[in-house]
Every structure is written in C-alpha cells, then in structure tokens.
Amino acid sequence: MMSGAFDGVRVVELAQWVFVPVAGALLADWGADVVRIERLDGDPYRGLATQGIGTDRGGVNLSMALANRGKRSVALNLQHPRGLEVLHELLASADVLLTSLRPGALERLGLGADAVRERHPHLVYARGHGFGMRGPDADQPGYDASAFWARGGVGHILTPAEREYPISQRGAMGDRNGAMALAFGIAAALLKRTRTGKGSVIDVSLLATAMWMLSSDLLAALNGGEAQPVSGRGMLVNPLTVSYRTKDGRHIQLMFLQGDRYWGDFCRVIGRPELADDPRFVDMAARRENAKACVAELDAVFAERTFEEWKAVLSPLDAPWSPMQTIHEVVDDPQVAANSYLGTVLLDDGTEYRLPAVPVQFDEHPPHLRRAPEHGEHTEAVLTELGYDWDRIAELADAGVIP
C-alpha cells in the first residue's frame, strides 16, 4: 500500500447513516485511522434494505461498505458515564472528532463544541448537519431528501413545470456531496493546526451543500432574475448545447458553448457540410435567432443513425459531446476503467466486490479500498491500545458499556 496523505491522523467518528460517515470513509481512504463509535445496537443504516445494495442483497451490504470502508468499529454505550470516559480517552489520542449528532444530543452528552475543545484543544471538531448550527431549525433532524433536496431547492429546480409532483431524488445525492465538503474542511483545519497548534470547529450542512450546487440559479435570484425552469430540452437558445434523439431512442448530448469554433467541423462530420454556410445557421447569432429551425434540422439528422453509430461517427470530432449513458454503461466505460474510478475490495475469504472510488487521486493513483468493519469488531483492540487490560474490559462488558 502507498502511504496516505492522512497517515498518522486519528479520527473518532460519532455518526450514523450516510452523510458524515462518508466523510470519514474518504479520510480513511487516504490513510486516516477512523474509529467509528457505534451504539450497542449498531448504526440503523446497517439494517436498511433498498435497491438490492443493503441488507436485501443477500451478501455484502454495499451501502454500509461504501460509507464505512477502511474504518474500525467500536460499540460503546455513551449513555453510561464509563462509556463517555472511554470516549474522552479516545479523543485525547485523536486529531479529529467527526459527528452527525444534533446540537441538543451533543449538549446532553457534554460533547458540545465548547466543552470538548476546552478539554481537548488540539482537536478538529467537525460537524455535519441538516440546516446549520444556528437558527430556529438547527436542532431539526435532516436527511438529504429533506434538508438538501427539498429545503435546498434542488428538487424544485429539477422538476419539469408540467409535472404534478416533484421528481424523486437518487439515493444519498446530498449526503455524498456534503461529505466531500466536510472532508475538505477537515483537511483544511488539519493544515491550519500545523501553523497554529490549535484545532478548529468545522461545519457543513446539507442545506448549504444544496445552495452551493445551485449557485448559478442563486446568482440569478440574488440579481432579481428568475431561475429557468426545467422542461423537456430546456430553452433552445443555443441548438448546439442540447441533446438529440437517435434512431433507436437513445440520446447524444452536445455542449458546444463556443458554437462557431465547432460548427463547421461538426457539419462535415455528420455529413451535412452545407449547413455550415446556411445563412440561418452561419454563426451563433443566426443560430440563436433560428434556433427552432436549426434544432429541427439536427433532429432529422440524428434520427437517421443509432446510438452506437453516432458514437462512432462523432468520435473523431474534437469537441465537447457525450453519449447519454445508462448507469450500466458507466460501469463498463473504458474511461472509467482506465482511470480506476471503480475500486475492488478483497475480503479474507476471497470474496470481492467493487465500489466507487473517491474522485480525488494522489500522484495519479486511486486509494487502496479496504472493507468496512462489522459492528463493534474492533472494540477490544482499541481498548487495549488505550491501556485497558482484560479485567477492565470484562468490567465494561458486565456494566453494559460495551457488548
């Protein structure tokens, strides 16, 4: 294994479900020792059945594997004073506390930011939450479908106006985008600590993540404009930035923002060189004025060939276009394979499965993906690292602090 950027960094993760645990997994990918603290009955995400990737899969729970790869799991009862004592011993040896608990729960446990930083001033204290740490809804529970998709405006902006109900979100979209931001914040705070010697408090909310993703629409709203509604192919301002339907019902996406740069070559490649000099389409201004006519011409052209045929025809064109792929085609895309955007996890029994890799690569290499831990798998090992002998470990088990 290559050395990781976070080798030697210990993260104590007090979180469940997807958003914050994925941030921990990203840090683990690059070498951090992520010790996740689970309740005695385990993260409820372990029991989620959905899409044939959770407990309903009949094999490896891929949902848990993606969110918790490379970590260690300690099962600990934080409602017990001795459980909190163990946690603080861990925090004394840690660099980061990563948590998804709501403000009220953290305060009840004596784990609010002020209390923890007073006791462990070296810690980076990182929180992921639904709606931010201030305001009337700071303590409201938030999942990505509510805090990100609904409250953050993503569902509204992506739903065609003619639909009676909003379109549904894909699984954990906001969670995994928020996790990237949270991991970035932690990395920045660790860098800052090398200069100041002090930890920082890092906050990322699903609401803020949605707003960042919708920055273009927010800029329009902030300047008195209106976000353009999604409907069919959208506004036909530039016929070279829309999708076209092929003979077999698939689609090709053009994205020629510099239309005049590509128009002549494009017309020659598709076998319609005369369109390049057509006065209606000769430049961007003409194509905009005659957008419907230009789209109609190209609709007819694209309807003449199949999806695979168009991929072959357009492949020599040095311009921004892409086939509109299915998710199975993405998995088998040679570009995905060439860049190792999917990684393989090998289990001790020889079983293996694939997971999406973190999109960041160091020195042109993806991280080595490791398996996710079983519930409480490393409880005893971590306690012995803290100096506990087997008698003390047995006492904690008898007291209901550990399983």
Side-chain angles (χ1 to χ4, degrees):
M1 289 177 57
M2 297 172 56
S3 62
F6 295 111
D7 281 357
V9 172
R10 171 170 283 182
V11 178
V12 174
E13 179 187 293
L14 187 55
Q16 55 190 24
W17 295 103
V18 184
F19 170 22
V20 173
V22 169
L26 298 179
L27 299 174
D29 278 348
W30 293 115
D33 175 22
V34 180
V35 180
R36 87 179 302 245
I37 307 299
E38 295 195 57
R39 308 181 320 192
L40 294 190
D41 57 351
D43 183 342
Y45 193 50
R46 289 185 179 275
L48 186 68
T50 176
Q51 292 185 281
I53 56 177
T55 55
D56 54 340
R57 185 174 183 268
V60 174
N61 185 332
L62 294 181
S63 296
M64 279 296 296
L66 181 61
N68 295 287
R69 62 198 189 200
K71 303 178 188 177
R72 299 196 286 171
S73 172
V74 172
L76 194 60
N77 180 6
L78 295 182
Q79 303 298 324
H80 196 292
R82 293 180 69 180
L84 281 172
E85 191 177 303
V86 171
L87 177 65
H88 279 291
E89 289 183 62
L90 265 172
L91 293 178
S93 70
D95 300 282
V96 180
L97 171 61
L98 178 59
T99 184
S100 66
L101 270 63
R102 286 183 277 161
L106 289 168
E107 292 296 335
R108 287 191 296 273
L109 290 169
L111 296 174
D114 291 342
V116 170
R117 294 186 73 208
E118 182 177 358
R119 188 165 176 176
H120 309 286
H122 68 289
L123 271 183
V124 171
Y125 186 104
R127 302 178 289 206
H129 31 80
F131 304 100
M133 291 299 294
R134 296 172 295 280
D137 296 328
D139 214 35
Q140 181 177 333
Y143 289 85
D144 63 340
S146 55
F148 168 83
W149 187 257
R151 187 79 174 261
V154 181
H156 175 79
I157 208 71
L158 293 181
T159 298
E162 60 270 17
R163 285 181 60 101
E164 185 176 357
Y165 289 95
I167 62 172
S168 298
Q169 178 189 338
R170 308 311 298 164
M173 284 178 62
D175 287 334
R176 295 188 182 106
N177 280 286
M180 287 290 292
L182 190 53
F184 164 71
I186 291 168
L190 289 170
L191 176 61
K192 178 185 174 185
R193 195 181 66 173
T194 65
R195 297 169 177 166
T196 66
K198 295 181 180 180
S200 302
V201 177
I202 302 299
D203 286 300
V204 174
S205 75
L206 293 171
L207 175 59
T209 301
M211 295 175 67
W212 178 248
M213 286 183 59
L214 295 179
S215 290
S216 295
D217 296 297
L218 284 172
L219 291 177
L222 290 169
N223 286 277
E226 293 292 335
Q228 299 298 330
V230 174
S231 182
R233 294 155 109 181
M235 294 184 65
L236 300 180
V237 175
N238 180 353
L240 303 183
T241 59
V242 296
S243 61
Y244 289 93
R245 187 178 176 89
T246 63
K247 183 178 181 180
D248 52 348
R250 300 294 301 277
H251 295 88
I252 300 293
Q253 177 70 51
L254 304 183
M255 201 58 193
F256 304 170
L257 291 174
Q258 297 173 281
D260 290 347
R261 176 180 174 182
Y262 304 113
W263 178 238
D265 287 342
F266 173 69
C267 291
R268 284 187 287 275
V269 165
I270 66 174
R272 293 294 303 277
E274 76 280 4
L275 291 178
D277 300 318
D278 189 313
R280 298 173 299 166
F281 315 136
V282 70
D283 57 25
M284 289 188 70
R287 288 191 298 275
R288 177 167 185 156
E289 184 177 347
N290 299 285
K292 288 185 178 180
C294 188
V295 167
E297 290 278 4
L298 295 180
D299 274 338
V301 171
F302 275 93
E304 294 172 355
R305 292 185 173 99
T306 66
F307 184 68
E308 292 299 327
E309 288 171 337
W310 274 118
K311 287 168 62 176
V313 168
L314 293 173
S315 61
L317 182 65
D318 184 21
W321 69 274
S322 281
M324 195 76 72
Q325 297 196 132
T326 68
I327 200 68
H328 290 286
E329 288 167 339
V330 173
V331 167
D332 295 328
D333 191 320
Q335 198 64 20
V336 170
N339 288 280
S340 302
Y341 290 154
L342 291 172
T344 300
V345 178
L346 180 64
L347 303 184
D348 294 339
D349 63 2
T351 303
E352 62 180 37
Y353 56 87
R354 291 192 294 171
L355 295 175
V358 56
V360 178
Q361 296 189 352
F362 274 89
D363 300 322
E364 300 184 354
H365 289 281
H368 171 74
L369 300 186
R370 296 166 290 157
R371 69 174 179 86
E374 299 297 330
H375 172 231
E377 178 181 347
H378 303 94
T379 302
E380 294 173 347
V382 171
L383 287 173
T384 57
E385 289 174 11
L386 293 176
Y388 283 68
D389 60 27
W390 289 106
D391 288 338
R392 290 180 69 195
I393 291 173
E395 289 176 7
L396 291 178
D398 291 340
V401 177
I402 62 175

